[in-house]
Amino acid sequence: MSDTKTGLAIETIFSADEISERLQALAAEIASKRPQNLLVVPILKGSFVFAADLLRALYAAGLTPEVDFLTLSSYRKSRISSGQVSILRDLDLDVHHRHVILIDDVLDSGRTLAFAKDLISARGAEKIETCVLLDKRTTRAVSIEPDYCAFTCPDVFVVGYGMDVGHRYRELPFVGRLVD
Ligand code: 5GP
Ligand code: MG
């Protein structure tokens, strides 16, 4: 598609149908491990569409997780990460003795998920796993691998399916790349 306001073209990388099909398989994989006392934590904002679809797929796969949200800063106002991660809004729930699955949109440098894992671990969670929509495997600054991953993604800046550039394009039902 092309954006009449900015003149940018958006090229589809993962279509809505591909995403939907992959999420059913991912949910089945998670459910097959029979997680107990499960708390799903989407890292906002970018993961909200992925998390909403994944949660309903988890329900269909027979799981009944609780959900709470963590808002972390990253990529603010630009396409380049500041390298610093901070908490913009914390969880309401206690994670002590729980099995927590952190949900993020993109695993890039790894700083965001590593920060979230350390935080939840320091608060006494029993088990912490990570689940990402996209893994950009070549761009890691810290050593971290996702426990669950929907797609491996090329090292390009992506938008759509919850992900933005300058607060735009989150509503797109597919993942695309901006082409200038
Ligand atoms: P990391 O801390 O792993 O470098 O970055 C992870 C965060 O940066 C993701 O949660 C996501 O919000 C953001 N991010 C990384 N790559 C992209 C991208 O290509 N597009 C968008 N919109 N956000 C990205
Ligand atoms: Mg994010």
Side-chain angles (χ1 to χ4, degrees), residues 68-79:
D68 197 4
F69 303 93
L70 181 63
T71 308
L72 299 179
S73 64
S74 60
Y75 279 84
R76 282 188 296 181
K77 292 190 194 149
S78 79
R79 299 188 199 181

Side-chain angles (χ1 to χ4, degrees), residues 16-180:
D17 285 347
E18 278 175 278
I19 295 170
S20 164
E21 197 177 312
R22 184 68 191 102
L23 291 210
Q24 309 311 311
L26 199 58
E29 189 187 339
I30 294 171
S32 73
K33 310 264 174 67
R34 302 191 176 282
Q36 301 297 314
N37 198 15
L38 182 61
L39 176 65
V40 171
V41 175
I43 298 175
L44 298 178
K45 301 175 186 160
S47 73
F48 80 107
V49 175
F50 172 44
D53 283 347
L54 183 66
L55 279 161
R56 284 173 288 183
L58 289 175
Y59 166 77
L63 296 187
T64 54
E66 289 183 6
V67 185
D68 197 4
F69 303 93
L70 181 63
T71 308
L72 299 179
S73 64
S74 60
Y75 279 84
R76 282 188 296 181
K77 292 190 194 149
S78 79
R79 299 188 199 181
I80 309 298
S81 166
S82 65
Q84 296 247 340
V85 183
S86 57
I87 302 172
L88 297 182
R89 188 188 180 285
D90 208 337
L91 297 165
D92 291 327
L93 297 181
D94 186 1
V95 299
H96 209 238
H97 296 315
R98 301 205 67 165
H99 179 170
V100 176
I101 299 185
L102 295 164
I103 308 284
D104 207 359
D105 49 357
V106 188
L107 179 55
D108 187 11
S109 75
R111 290 191 190 96
T112 305
L113 267 185
F115 176 93
K117 264 184 111 166
D118 288 349
L119 180 78
I120 303 300
S121 165
R123 292 178 182 172
E126 189 171 300
K127 181 169 183 175
I128 308 167
E129 292 184 305
T130 56
C131 177
V132 299
L133 176 69
L134 306 174
D135 184 359
K136 293 184 182 173
R137 307 181 72 131
T138 55
T139 49
R140 224 65 104 229
V142 294
S143 162
I144 181 168
E145 291 304 321
D147 296 288
Y148 304 100
C149 168
F151 301 103
T152 299
C153 177
D155 182 21
V156 293
F157 192 83
V158 297
V159 295
Y161 201 65
M163 295 173 285
D164 74 316
V165 61
H167 306 287
R168 299 201 58 207
Y169 306 119
R170 292 193 199 272
E171 74 283 10
L172 298 178
F174 57 89
V175 174
R177 65 176 289 191
L178 292 171
V179 186
D180 313 272

Side-chain angles (χ1 to χ4, degrees), residues 5-16:
K5 208 159 138 191
T6 61
L8 292 172
I10 299 173
E11 196 178 275
T12 302
I13 302 181
F14 301 108
S15 71

